[in-house]
Amino acid sequence: MKTNRAIRTPGGLSVRLDVRAFTVVLLLLAAALAASVVLIGTGDFPIPAGDVLKTLLGNGNAGQEFIVNELRLPRVLVGLLVGASLGLGGALFQAVSRNPLGSPDILGLGQGATAGALVMIVLFSGSAAEVTVGALVGGLVAGLSIYLLAWKQGVHGYRLVLVGIGVSAILTAVNGYLMTVSDIVDAARAMVWMTGSLSGRDWEQVWPLLGLCAVLVPLVLGNARGLRMMEMGDDVSNALGVRVERVRALLMIAAVLLTASATAAAGPVSFVALTAPQLARRLTRSPGPNLLPSLCMGAALLVGADWISQKVFGADQMPVGVVTGVLGGVYLLWLLVTERKAGRI
């Protein structure tokens, strides 16, 4: 059965469409949207899915409009955007490093963002906005440091992973120290942030994330062809006209920005960036980075995990980061066993 189909545009260009990957993207989008509607209706004041849709279309009563549009819709939108950012960022890191373990969770970007947030909480007693800025700066500094330390006439995948693991260990120690010198109030506040949660998210978190994704997602997808060629090796890519280091640096910057902004908005939500690209690849059965499927998978995973946490444990009783951490940890163990059996680690 053919999974690729050539489509000829009016201008005479031929575009090859992977039918299976396209179908997976549509199904993941449908799953993410359906889970979002159900999640909006879940809480201390449950609302049927039909009424949620009516309210979103402007036909709900005053109480439903307040609950849906002001309280729950921003939280769900932050979840979708954070999941999409982590899924796409994880796919970029894994493609650049050519390693399924090349995830922001393992490379230290989450720990860098956590360090930035802890500095603002513990040392400056910063506001929520200042903590967000600190997390964003911390993630960017960690990403830049990892890239520069891994540079040696280019960036090799395994060198990037090893440097990232080392930086992650250092930042974990720094974060532990900051927690020990903080007072009980700041420590409790920091612990809540470090768990990763969508609780209390509002429109102030939605608009910056939406604007960043509106810029970075088209930029990343526009360089998908060069990224796919880079999987054949730098020499082959250069021969085919790809400016390897320029594309790699551009996509690494985009991946760091996506991951750091997602962490700044919701805290270090564990393992979504690791699992989403791998699950997307297994569904599409397609080689290459699978950027768009990974983006959709990340959004569906995070919203689904938030729904599970609220349905099983009650509204805001279990942070979504705990659920993704448990599920992602199990997946990581399975991935390590699989990679070992295949002789790749």
Side-chain angles (χ1 to χ4, degrees):
M1 178 180 177
K2 291 184 178 180
T3 59
N4 291 313
R5 180 173 300 172
I7 300 176
R8 192 168 296 278
T9 65
L13 297 176
S14 180
V15 179
R16 187 167 296 277
L17 175 67
D18 188 326
V19 177
R20 183 184 178 91
F22 182 71
T23 303
V24 167
V25 167
L26 292 181
L27 292 176
L28 288 174
L29 281 175
L33 294 176
S36 298
V37 171
V38 175
L39 179 58
I40 290 174
T42 303
D44 294 331
F45 184 81
I47 303 175
D51 290 342
V52 171
L53 292 174
K54 289 180 181 179
T55 305
L56 291 174
L57 294 174
N59 297 320
N61 59 46
Q64 290 175 338
E65 287 185 357
F66 175 75
I67 293 173
V68 170
N69 296 328
E70 299 300 325
L71 298 181
R72 297 180 182 173
L73 179 59
R75 172 186 178 133
V76 171
L77 290 177
V78 170
L80 288 171
L81 292 169
V82 168
S85 299
L86 292 176
L88 183 57
L92 288 172
F93 275 111
Q94 292 178 20
V96 170
S97 65
R98 302 173 196 169
N99 190 320
L101 298 178
S103 164
D105 303 293
I106 296 173
L107 295 181
L109 292 181
Q111 288 80 355
T114 300
L118 287 180
V119 166
M120 298 306 300
I121 293 173
V122 174
L123 301 183
F124 300 102
S125 298
S127 64
E130 291 170 338
V131 171
T132 299
V133 173
L136 182 60
V137 172
L140 293 175
V141 171
L144 179 62
S145 301
I146 293 167
Y147 188 83
L148 293 177
L149 290 171
W151 176 271
K152 185 180 179 182
Q153 297 179 344
V155 177
H156 188 274
Y158 280 97
R159 187 163 61 241
L160 182 69
V161 172
L162 290 174
V163 170
I165 291 173
V167 171
S168 176
I170 294 172
L171 290 172
T172 300
V174 171
N175 294 338
Y177 171 75
L178 289 172
M179 289 293 290
T180 60
V181 300
S182 62
D183 60 44
I184 188 66
V185 175
D186 287 339
R189 181 185 174 195
M191 203 64 204
V192 171
W193 188 90
M194 290 170 62
T195 304
S197 174
L198 297 175
S199 178
R201 300 307 184 265
D202 55 28
W203 290 105
E204 291 184 2
Q205 283 85 33
V206 173
W207 300 120
L209 267 176
L210 185 61
L212 194 66
C213 288
V215 174
L216 292 180
V217 171
L219 177 67
V220 169
L221 296 180
N223 286 275
R225 179 176 175 272
L227 182 61
R228 185 163 186 169
M229 287 184 176
M230 284 164 56
E231 293 191 340
M232 296 184 291
D234 290 357
D235 293 337
V236 175
S237 300
N238 280 317
L240 293 173
V242 178
R243 301 176 64 179
V244 173
E245 289 307 326
R246 178 180 178 276
V247 172
R248 181 181 286 131
L250 179 65
L251 294 180
M252 283 288 291
I253 292 172
V256 170
L257 284 171
L258 286 167
T259 305
S261 61
T263 305
V269 180
S270 303
F271 289 115
V272 173
L274 174 68
T275 57
Q278 293 300 312
L279 293 175
R281 177 172 294 194
R282 281 163 173 76
L283 287 177
T284 62
R285 298 179 186 174
S286 174
N290 285 281
L291 298 179
L292 195 55
S294 299
L295 181 152
C296 298
M297 177 63 77
L301 277 178
L302 191 53
V303 174
D306 195 34
W307 177 79
I308 290 173
S309 69
Q310 292 201 47
K311 193 69 176 178
V312 176
F313 300 99
D316 297 329
Q317 296 300 311
M318 178 68 71
V320 67
V322 176
V323 178
T324 60
V326 172
L327 297 177
V330 173
Y331 178 80
L332 177 60
L333 291 174
W334 176 84
L335 181 61
L336 289 171
V337 171
T338 303
E339 292 291 299
R340 183 180 180 184
K341 287 182 178 179
R344 289 189 283 266
I345 59 174

